[in-house]
Amino acid sequence: MTLTGNLLIGRQSIRGTNGSLHGIDAATGATLEPAFGGATPAQLDQACALAWQAFDTYREISPERRADFLEAIAANILALGDALVDRCVAESGLPRGRIEGERGRTVGQLRLFAGMLRQGDFLELRVDPAQPERQPLPRPDLRLRHIPLGPVAVFGASNFPLAFSVAGGDTASALAAGCPVVVKAHSAHPGTSELVGRAVQQAVAELDLPEGTFSLLFDAGREVGQSLVADPRIRAVGFTGSRAGGTALMAIAAARPAPIPVFAEMSSINPVLLFPNALANRAEAIGAAFAGSLTLGAGQFCTNPGLVLAVESEGLERFLEAAASSLARIGAQSMLTPGILHAYCGGVDALAQHPQVRTVARGQAGNTLQGQAALFSTSAEAFLADAALRHEVFGAASLVVRCRDVAQMRQVTEALEGQLTAALHLDAADHDAARTLLPSLERLAGRILVNGFGTGVEVGHAMVHGGPWPSTSDGRTTSVGSLAIARFVRPVSYQDLPDDLLPAALRAESALRHTWRVDGKASR
Amino acid sequence: MTLTGNLLIGRQSIRGTNGSLHGIDAATGATLEPAFGGATPAQLDQACALAWQAFDTYREISPERRADFLEAIAANILALGDALVDRCVAESGLPRGRIEGERGRTVGQLRLFAGMLRQGDFLELRVDPAQPERQPLPRPDLRLRHIPLGPVAVFGASNFPLAFSVAGGDTASALAAGCPVVVKAHSAHPGTSELVGRAVQQAVAELDLPEGTFSLLFDAGREVGQSLVADPRIRAVGFTGSRAGGTALMAIAAARPAPIPVFAEMSSINPVLLFPNALANRAEAIGAAFAGSLTLGAGQFCTNPGLVLAVESEGLERFLEAAASSLARIGAQSMLTPGILHAYCGGVDALAQHPQVRTVARGQAGNTLQGQAALFSTSAEAFLADAALRHEVFGAASLVVRCRDVAQMRQVTEALEGQLTAALHLDAADHDAARTLLPSLERLAGRILVNGFGTGVEVGHAMVHGGPWPSTSDGRTTSVGSLAIARFVRPVSYQDLPDDLLPAALRAESALRHTWRVDGKASR
């Protein structure tokens, strides 16, 4: 499949004429062909108009057909074969195995939502039957379903060019909810974006869906993304990226005549808490595993362990030695873009030069496109005194905070901003100490995990990939797992509607097919 | 029970020393004793500090005990007897029967949430069991529950001094979710607020809950409310009131270092669509019922029918005559406050003087504290041309828009801002025409009802009292009914936690007591 560099607007492939951008080979810095044309305001308008036109039709196609659509997207992505993997490896600098795994995850997400649609209870149907004899007033018949919000703007993320991009979790959950999607491709992987975009576009055609169900726009700057969020036909935004980027989109969304929700997943340093007995018993194993998690994908994970809290102890010293010796054996890796590498180096330099911070270890040095892992340590007092030490350094850098005791670990925890994850390493003898920290951690993070690292994000029904500000813009949501669909729907109540005017799922005939909550009690 | 005019901060009754305010007898304009003292910044700080202190304890008490608490509040409110009703009638100017009904509704809401807590599945527990043998990677054990957001600021509403005020739906759902509540009393009913506040305070003591579970603050101006929303310990806001007020609180919440959600229910004109056959067959009955709904509570309902859309016809003329003759028989009623009356008169005058608007009828004139109902009409063209005609006039005023045909009714519908309700009056022969409008109405409103008016808001599980902007700040929520609790919780995922560190509801022993969603499928 030859790349065109074109925008995908509805069923068309159109040359964008508002500047252009190229993919870059992350490992060599070489420019990759072709040039991708940025969308003009008129082209953006066309994509939004088509999405709006598609909305009422697309949202009412049967859940089964929507499931077929998601599965067709998955099949079309797999059918791209090596062409997709090769381009994605080149644009991201990520290892081939990682990209193949991420492709599997992307396809798995689409299939997870397809399964939910087939299961049919994601609409959360509720019925409060009429009570015509009730005194002093009869009770009306009330039926409730959730309907989609409208067209959704999705911003591809740099660090997961498949799973958080054109057909990633935001797109999959929005399409599953019944929302048309307009994607603003991330400039770091335009070729990957076009290939996946064409897989989606092809699925729209195969299922004979309204053409505005999906469009893909490129942007040589920031205009297209900003205009997309401001467009009155866009009704929600999915974004994964920097805190500055997410905050800027939130401001645009809030300033609209009719504000819309922005679901932005932004900034997290993902504290790892090492408890005394676990350290005493297996500091070396934890240190080695930590180094592996820290450097996975050059540390470019939202859930990368950027902060370690531990009580000063002989075990902590052994942990640091083990982590340092592991890091020394791990090669430097290409980072996603020169800009990300530049920001990473700036963050590492600031830590290295901080008077209260000690450099514990560095990974192997690499070429000018590669990030060198870094491990630092500081005292709890210094950490609490300087908010700059609590900022995310996106990449394979982490800061160990030496605490006097578990109470001080808790004090440090309370000083943190919201996080995606908090990981505890503990043995049975640590449970009592850990229990005193759990209330803080629940208030702090969307996911709490024991004896592991947050870098593996399971796609399932009980996953939360979200958390309090600033890890996300709305801690009541997740961008991974089946609950992600809840971001894109709203409840509508139907009172005393004649059966033939009710939506199909709420008609009497559907009572046998769907799980309803009748007077608040689940029943089938 | 003698009113003190004091703030209720935790278990204390404290004189506010930041200015003072009085209740006003809405029917006579007389000042009511005592004076209520406004909260100082230090007093507000104390309430927030206590709420924050209470949070971790209050959120982990058993659902059963929380249910007991809500039921104790309900019992204490009823135990206030006539003292509450008398004061509430005086402060609101609403009829005694209406206030008694509203008290029943308030108590009913508290009991609805108590019932949900006893039923136990509101936490939406999910479990994805571990798969240690899975290839290429084992699957961890993932368990999910929803936890409360933190202390919630609730703003009492002028128009429902019981059901949307100190112990109204926002407070009931926040307390049910596990959030401590700090109420900012509405200045129009301080005495009612103190009485109900003491009923809540007493229930906190009876159940031996942390004292910061509830506080009640008075405010002689706007400072207290604004500072409350800005306070870092407040984690969500419930508000019912004007668009200007809600928008101002949203701006404060968005500008915080860590933004929080504001659930504001604001502005709605609640279109009523009259279909041709219904008008032909029963224009008189619809007209009389409409006049009753329009003037209920002096029109001071969020769901008041402020807009009527109908096709030009002989039936429409009969509807207008019937509505006019009913209005002529309905006496003027006291409005809640002089400020609300002033705004109402201004809105009515603007419509009366609008060159494209005709005055169809006025209700009976009253004294200088009473609102006189008003019915206007205009053409669809004029309505579409002037956005000012689409603004809410809070009170018993409504505008009939004469449409050429059903297609033009749809065009008008598409031009409206988001609404709480849309009501359709139709007969069987109108179903085909109505069906063409339903997609617009679903996008427009939170509740669609047939052959009734939105002014009756049933408290149940399938109710939505919410809708797209500006009817609420977040159309994905409802402020009435059991779904209201969802505003105040967020999901937390627990990965591989040892059983004794899991929250009680997610431990193995609880599997028999709670409904869990296992791998996405509901099971008990």
Side-chain angles (χ1 to χ4, degrees):
Chain A
M1 194 183 253
T2 313
L3 291 171
T4 63
N6 284 352
L7 312 171
L8 304 180
I9 300 183
R11 69 170 66 91
Q12 293 183 280
S13 170
I14 303 176
R15 190 68 206 170
T17 52
N18 189 14
S20 73
L21 69 155
H22 281 84
I24 307 277
D25 187 311
T28 67
T31 297
L32 296 170
E33 293 303 327
F36 290 78
T40 64
Q43 289 169 327
L44 181 140
D45 178 74
Q46 197 190 347
C48 292
L50 284 172
W52 186 251
Q53 272 173 40
F55 178 43
D56 278 348
T57 307
Y58 179 64
R59 72 184 172 96
E60 289 298 358
I61 68 168
S62 69
E64 292 76 12
R65 191 150 152 243
R66 225 182 282 160
D68 289 343
F69 172 44
L70 296 177
E71 287 165 355
I73 297 172
N76 294 346
I77 288 172
L78 290 177
L80 290 165
D82 280 348
L84 177 63
V85 176
D86 292 345
R87 179 78 189 196
C88 194
V89 167
E91 288 183 331
S92 69
L94 294 167
R96 189 170 190 91
R98 150 71 197 271
I99 292 300
E100 286 174 347
E102 189 180 329
R103 179 180 60 179
R105 177 199 173 112
T106 306
V107 166
Q109 287 182 149
L110 289 158
R111 290 177 177 157
L112 176 82
F113 288 109
M116 277 182 77
L117 289 167
R118 294 197 193 287
Q119 197 173 305
D121 59 354
F122 80 99
L123 292 162
E124 295 180 52
L125 306 175
R126 293 167 168 235
V127 180
D128 295 346
Q131 295 174 353
E133 312 298 330
R134 191 183 66 171
Q135 293 301 330
L137 287 171
R139 186 170 86 164
D141 180 273
L142 278 169
R143 291 162 195 252
L144 181 149
R145 69 165 177 168
H146 283 76
I147 72 167
L149 293 181
V152 173
V154 171
F155 288 75
S158 63
N159 60 339
F160 279 85
L162 297 172
F164 285 80
S165 191
V166 176
D170 285 341
T171 297
S173 54
L175 290 176
C179 300
V181 168
V182 180
V183 174
K184 204 290 279 175
H186 197 284
S187 57
H189 52 268
T192 304
S193 296
E194 181 187 336
L195 289 171
V196 175
R198 282 157 68 176
V200 182
Q201 191 185 46
Q202 187 188 330
V204 171
E206 286 163 8
L207 274 290
D208 196 25
L209 299 175
E211 62 167 328
T213 302
F214 175 81
S215 290
L216 171 67
L217 304 177
F218 295 99
D219 187 4
R222 290 181 179 174
E223 252 174 79
V224 172
Q226 291 170 351
S227 302
L228 199 54
V229 175
D231 191 283
R233 293 158 296 197
I234 295 295
R235 298 301 166 90
V237 177
F239 170 89
T240 301
S242 71
R243 185 168 180 169
T247 307
L249 296 185
M250 287 174 71
I252 294 170
R256 292 166 47 123
I260 56 172
V262 174
F263 303 107
E265 191 243 280
M266 299 182 289
S267 172
S268 186
I269 55 176
N270 305 296
V272 175
L273 288 78
L274 307 178
F275 284 83
N277 291 284
L279 277 182
N281 296 334
R282 49 195 176 87
E284 290 77 9
I286 298 172
F290 165 76
S293 172
L294 179 65
T295 55
L296 203 64
Q300 300 163 122
F301 276 72
C302 318
T303 50
N304 189 58
L307 181 69
V308 177
L309 311 183
V311 177
E312 291 275 19
S313 62
E314 169 271 342
L316 175 57
E317 302 311 317
R318 285 190 286 120
F319 164 84
L320 292 171
E321 280 165 34
S325 100
S326 292
L327 285 179
R329 285 192 300 275
I330 294 174
Q333 296 164 77
S334 301
M335 293 195 76
L336 292 158
T337 70
I340 288 172
L341 176 64
H342 181 76
Y344 172 72
C345 293
V348 166
D349 288 350
L351 284 169
Q353 287 158 26
H354 193 287
Q356 303 297 324
V357 172
R358 188 170 74 82
T359 301
V360 175
R362 297 298 307 256
Q364 293 176 9
N367 65 30
T368 57
L369 295 170
Q370 294 180 317
Q372 185 184 2
L375 183 60
F376 301 98
S377 74
T378 191
S379 67
E381 287 73 16
F383 186 78
L384 289 168
D386 186 353
L389 293 178
R390 309 200 279 274
H391 292 165
E392 182 181 20
V393 177
F394 188 70
S398 192
L399 176 62
V400 178
V401 177
R402 297 168 176 275
C403 301
R404 200 183 319 115
D405 49 26
V406 171
Q408 195 173 41
M409 276 170 72
R410 176 168 177 170
Q411 193 190 352
V412 170
T413 303
E414 291 283 349
L416 297 176
E417 295 185 298
Q419 304 291 334
L420 294 172
T421 70
L424 296 80
H425 289 263
L426 45 79
D427 283 357
D430 294 311
H431 285 196
D432 287 344
R435 201 172 285 112
T436 66
L437 274 153
L438 280 172
S440 297
L441 297 176
E442 285 175 323
R443 282 189 266 103
L444 183 71
R447 177 163 56 114
I448 299 169
L449 63 154
V450 164
N451 292 336
F453 294 93
T455 34
V457 183
E458 187 68 33
V459 177
H461 302 280
M463 173 51 70
V464 176
H465 188 65
W469 177 272
S471 67
T472 70
S473 54
D474 182 349
R476 295 175 303 133
T477 62
T478 174
S479 65
V480 173
S482 60
L483 265 181
I485 201 171
R487 298 176 296 170
F488 299 119
V489 296
R490 47 173 274 262
V492 176
S493 183
Y494 302 82
Q495 180 174 323
D496 287 336
L497 257 66
D499 202 63
D500 69 316
L501 290 182
L502 279 169
L506 290 173
R507 285 182 207 147
E509 68 188 20
S510 298
L512 295 176
R513 288 199 304 131
H514 294 292
T515 305
W516 285 359
R517 195 169 274 273
V518 179
D519 271 334
K521 294 187 182 57
S523 73
R524 184 176 282 274
Chain B
M1 193 184 253
T2 312
L3 290 171
T4 63
N6 284 353
L7 312 172
L8 305 180
I9 299 182
R11 69 170 64 92
Q12 293 183 279
S13 170
I14 303 175
R15 189 70 205 167
T17 52
N18 188 13
S20 73
L21 69 156
H22 279 86
I24 307 276
D25 187 312
T28 67
T31 297
L32 296 170
E33 293 303 326
F36 289 79
T40 63
Q43 289 168 328
L44 182 140
D45 179 74
Q46 198 190 346
C48 292
L50 284 173
W52 186 251
Q53 271 173 39
F55 178 44
D56 278 348
T57 306
Y58 179 64
R59 71 185 173 96
E60 290 297 358
I61 68 168
S62 69
E64 293 76 12
R65 190 150 154 243
R66 226 184 280 160
D68 290 343
F69 173 45
L70 296 177
E71 286 164 356
I73 297 171
N76 293 346
I77 288 172
L78 290 177
L80 290 165
D82 280 348
L84 177 63
V85 176
D86 292 345
R87 178 78 190 195
C88 195
V89 167
E91 288 183 329
S92 69
L94 293 167
R96 189 170 191 91
R98 150 70 197 271
I99 292 300
E100 286 173 349
E102 191 181 327
R103 179 180 59 178
R105 178 200 173 111
T106 306
V107 166
Q109 285 182 150
L110 289 158
R111 291 176 178 157
L112 176 83
F113 288 109
M116 277 181 78
L117 289 167
R118 293 197 194 287
Q119 197 174 305
D121 59 355
F122 80 99
L123 292 162
E124 296 179 51
L125 306 175
R126 292 167 168 236
V127 179
D128 294 347
Q131 295 174 352
E133 311 298 330
R134 191 183 64 173
Q135 293 300 329
L137 288 171
R139 186 170 87 164
D141 179 274
L142 278 169
R143 293 163 193 249
L144 180 150
R145 69 165 177 167
H146 283 76
I147 72 166
L149 294 181
V152 172
V154 170
F155 287 75
S158 62
N159 60 337
F160 278 84
L162 297 172
F164 285 81
S165 191
V166 176
D170 285 341
T171 297
S173 54
L175 290 176
C179 300
V181 168
V182 180
V183 174
K184 204 289 279 173
H186 196 284
S187 56
H189 52 267
T192 304
S193 296
E194 181 187 334
L195 289 170
V196 175
R198 282 156 68 176
V200 182
Q201 192 184 45
Q202 188 188 329
V204 171
E206 286 163 8
L207 273 290
D208 196 24
L209 299 176
E211 62 166 329
T213 302
F214 175 80
S215 289
L216 171 67
L217 304 177
F218 295 100
D219 186 4
R222 291 180 178 175
E223 251 174 81
V224 172
Q226 291 170 351
S227 302
L228 199 53
V229 175
D231 191 284
R233 293 158 296 196
I234 295 296
R235 299 301 167 91
V237 178
F239 170 88
T240 301
S242 71
R243 185 168 179 170
T247 307
L249 296 185
M250 288 173 71
I252 295 170
R256 291 165 48 123
I260 56 172
V262 174
F263 303 106
E265 192 242 279
M266 300 182 288
S267 172
S268 185
I269 53 176
N270 304 296
V272 175
L273 289 77
L274 306 178
F275 284 83
N277 291 283
L279 277 183
N281 295 334
R282 48 194 176 87
E284 291 76 9
I286 299 172
F290 165 75
S293 172
L294 179 65
T295 54
L296 204 65
Q300 300 163 124
F301 275 73
C302 318
T303 51
N304 189 59
L307 181 69
V308 177
L309 311 182
V311 176
E312 290 275 20
S313 62
E314 170 271 339
L316 175 56
E317 301 312 316
R318 286 191 285 122
F319 165 83
L320 291 171
E321 280 165 33
S325 101
S326 292
L327 285 179
R329 286 192 298 274
I330 295 174
Q333 295 165 75
S334 302
M335 292 195 76
L336 292 158
T337 70
I340 288 172
L341 176 64
H342 181 75
Y344 173 70
C345 293
V348 166
D349 288 350
L351 284 170
Q353 288 157 25
H354 193 288
Q356 304 296 323
V357 171
R358 188 170 74 81
T359 301
V360 174
R362 297 297 306 258
Q364 293 176 6
N367 66 29
T368 57
L369 295 170
Q370 294 180 315
Q372 185 185 3
L375 184 60
F376 301 97
S377 74
T378 192
S379 68
E381 287 74 16
F383 187 78
L384 290 167
D386 187 355
L389 294 178
R390 309 199 279 273
H391 292 164
E392 182 179 21
V393 177
F394 188 70
S398 191
L399 176 62
V400 178
V401 176
R402 296 168 177 275
C403 301
R404 199 184 319 114
D405 49 26
V406 171
Q408 196 173 40
M409 276 170 70
R410 177 168 174 167
Q411 193 190 350
V412 171
T413 304
E414 291 283 350
L416 297 176
E417 295 185 300
Q419 304 290 334
L420 294 172
T421 70
L424 297 80
H425 288 263
L426 46 78
D427 283 356
D430 294 311
H431 285 196
D432 286 346
R435 201 173 282 114
T436 66
L437 275 152
L438 281 171
S440 297
L441 297 176
E442 286 175 321
R443 280 189 267 102
L444 184 71
R447 178 164 55 117
I448 299 170
L449 64 154
V450 164
N451 292 336
F453 295 94
T455 34
V457 182
E458 187 68 34
V459 176
H461 302 281
M463 172 52 70
V464 176
H465 189 66
W469 177 273
S471 67
T472 69
S473 53
D474 182 348
R476 294 175 303 132
T477 63
T478 174
S479 64
V480 174
S482 60
L483 266 180
I485 202 171
R487 298 176 295 170
F488 299 120
V489 296
R490 47 173 275 261
V492 175
S493 184
Y494 302 82
Q495 179 174 323
D496 287 337
L497 258 65
D499 202 63
D500 68 315
L501 290 182
L502 279 169
L506 289 173
R507 284 181 207 147
E509 68 189 18
S510 298
L512 295 176
R513 288 197 304 130
H514 294 293
T515 304
W516 285 359
R517 195 170 274 274
V518 179
D519 271 334
K521 292 186 186 58
S523 71
R524 186 177 280 275

